């Protein structure tokens, strides 16, 4: 199994634009500088749009040389992948801890998703600007792209963990592919969240409370032999049409 | 039941930009002029983007006065709704005819979707430009918006027709709400189609061939008492989160 990795940075704040203030009064080390460039980029993407923001503008705003910015991030796409990666890392760490006391699958799925909302919430405004770049499955910025595989696999691994640690009885032939389907549920919640206008993403949280028990019940139906092939076919459908060429993460 | 309406125009060509050539050599009647303004608008939206295209530019390109353009379409949003409406009308007419020889639900669903692709195909390039406006569920241009209800209800009615004319045995308590769920399947196909880069939307057609039998089998599961509540809950979920305030179309 591809175990979720530990977060790569020590940062715990989720605020855009605070990193710079902190760093300006210190001598930035490499990973602080990298984090500063990333936070600066996200705030510029949010303000000016992804297409219009240049690496030059990011470097200037962050107070580093253009060469230095490129040293850490080979392109704007790499900045987005680093952002996905960081959100995934924080999410994985917090979700694993928050799931621990729960055993039933619905609760574990719900906790996983609520944790994701908490981690991602500071970036909702950015996400709503950015979604038009990410929603095209042909874009490297899509969560379905080969480029997004590392962060995608982390989130799929969390779902595998949610399933394995639960009391849900799932036949081995289904359990193998189920994390992909659970990840699709996660993606549907993310899409709703991006457009959610309610304070604190209250509506998305209500949606999670409604869908998580439903998803757990659908999975419960896999105890019926007549239902099982549908799970396999649904997973194959995702691999054939949404993730072509993607090798399943190690189970 | 809200019967699908007959198409409102006699046009059968799906080509953007042909209407003008035809009309310039004749004295345009009202509905020809209306069709001309709509086709002109769609080609400008595709070329320059929806936000950047003004009613003034549309009127100029169509060779009518600005006042005349506003007489037919109160706003750019109304142009899009007219477009949705026209695609729905053509789709409904052709889908009803194409379904007629088929009795099993999978075939009827598949025929319905293939017909939609055929009708919509001339607008795929436009749709891929436009999707960023339509994908936000809060936008009046979203297929989930109150403004889109008339064309949405037509397509939902086609799904009701597909179900009722089929040999599928569905308990009445489920049959009532099933067309909404089938429409969600239709919407998923539309989203895939928008981003499909394959010639003639071949990949989308393959997807339809794969998902239609699956959807029919999922519906077949409603013969199990334990499964039925999930259908009701899924429909309630759509009404509570994606179509708030929308009254179900008459069943």
């Amino acid at each position: 199994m591809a175990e979720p990795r530990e977060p790569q940075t020590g940062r715990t704040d989720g605020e855009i634009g605070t990193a710079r203030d902190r760093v300006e009064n210190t001598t930035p080390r490499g990973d602080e500088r990298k984090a500063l460039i990333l936070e600066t980029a996200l705030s510029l993407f949010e303000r000016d749009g992804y297409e219009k923001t240049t690496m030059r503008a990011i470097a200037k705003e962050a107070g580093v040389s253009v060469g230095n910015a490129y040293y850490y991030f080979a392109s704007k796409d790499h900045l987005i992948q680093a952002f996905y990666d960081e959100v995934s890392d924080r999410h994985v760490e917090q979700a694993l801890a928050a799931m621990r006391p729960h055993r039933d699958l619905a609760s574990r799925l719900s906790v996983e998703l609520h944790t994701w909302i908490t981690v991602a919430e500071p970036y909702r405004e950015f996400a709503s600007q950015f979604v038009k770049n990410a929603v095209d499955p042909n874009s490297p910025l899509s969560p379905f792209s080969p480029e997004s595989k590392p962060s995608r696999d982390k989130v799929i691994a969390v779902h595998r963990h949610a399933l394995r640690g639960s009391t849900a009885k799932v036949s081995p032939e289904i359990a193998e592919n189920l994390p992909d389907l659970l990840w699709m549920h996660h993606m549907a919640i993310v899409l709703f969240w991006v457009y959610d206008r309610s304070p604190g993403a209250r509506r998305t949280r209500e949606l999670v409370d409604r869908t998580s028990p439903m998803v757990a019940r659908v999975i419960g139906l896999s105890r019926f032999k007549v239902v099982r092939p549908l799970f396999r076919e649904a997973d194959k459908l995702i691999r054939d049409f949404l993730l072509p060429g993607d090798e399943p993460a190690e189970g």
Side-chain angles (χ1 to χ4, degrees), chain A:
Chain A
M1 163 173 173
E3 274 298 327
R5 283 199 285 149
E6 284 298 302
Q8 291 172 318
T9 73
R11 293 196 305 116
T12 53
D13 63 297
E15 298 299 315
I16 294 176
T18 57
R20 186 180 184 181
D21 310 329
R22 196 177 63 232
V23 171
E24 273 179 346
N25 298 319
T26 65
T27 307
R29 293 182 305 117
D31 54 354
E32 278 180 351
R33 185 172 290 213
K34 192 174 172 181
L36 163 69
I37 295 168
L38 179 54
E39 295 285 350
T40 305
L42 294 179
S43 61
L44 289 186
F45 292 158
E46 183 177 333
R47 197 188 69 190
D48 303 332
Y50 180 73
E51 285 84 3
K52 286 185 189 149
T53 303
T54 60
M55 283 294 269
R56 183 169 296 276
I58 295 164
K60 190 180 171 195
E61 181 78 13
V64 302
S65 72
V66 178
N68 198 241
Y70 275 112
Y71 171 79
Y72 289 109
F73 302 100
S75 71
K76 285 197 292 177
D77 284 11
H78 286 78
L79 277 159
I80 296 297
Q81 293 302 336
F83 168 64
Y84 289 167
D85 226 49
E86 195 180 303
V87 168
S88 300
D89 283 337
R90 287 194 229 164
H91 164 58
V92 167
E93 185 190 25
Q94 294 183 30
L96 294 182
M99 263 182 223
R100 208 162 287 142
H102 300 278
R103 279 296 157 256
D104 74 289
L105 182 56
S107 303
R108 287 170 72 86
L109 294 177
S110 171
V111 158
E112 187 269 332
L113 288 161
H114 279 293
T115 307
W116 186 87
I117 295 169
T118 302
V119 168
E121 188 58 17
Y123 304 103
R124 184 149 52 116
E125 185 59 36
F126 164 66
S128 73
Q129 301 292 326
F130 184 71
V131 65
K132 65 176 184 290
N133 300 293
V135 82
D136 180 349
N138 305 296
S139 161
L141 307 172
S142 158
F144 298 95
S145 74
E147 290 83 354
S148 301
K149 182 169 163 59
S151 47
R152 179 169 67 241
D153 281 350
K154 284 176 201 169
V155 181
I156 292 176
V158 174
H159 286 98
R160 186 174 290 113
H161 182 84
L163 191 65
R164 286 187 176 170
S166 80
T167 51
K169 292 202 180 12
V170 178
S171 80
E173 56 177 320
I174 302 294
E176 179 64 26
N177 299 324
L178 219 40
D180 293 353
L181 297 173
L182 292 172
W183 177 73
M184 288 295 289
H185 173 227
H186 184 110
M187 285 296 105
I189 298 292
V190 170
L191 191 61
F192 187 89
W193 169 84
V194 166
Y195 293 113
D196 186 356
R197 304 275 205 269
S198 64
R202 179 182 53 79
R203 289 281 290 162
T204 309
R205 292 188 182 277
E206 288 169 5
L207 183 63
V208 166
D209 292 339
R210 287 274 291 275
T211 59
S212 298
M214 284 178 73
V215 168
R217 281 166 62 197
V218 169
I219 290 172
L221 294 177
S222 69
R223 70 183 180 274
F224 298 109
K225 214 170 171 181
V226 64
V227 177
R228 249 170 270 163
L230 279 166
F231 282 95
R232 279 199 301 276
E233 282 171 42
D235 184 67
K236 194 152 182 335
L237 202 66
I238 293 170
R239 303 228 151 255
D240 289 349
F241 286 89
L242 292 175
L243 300 171
D246 189 16
E247 290 299 310
E250 300 267 310

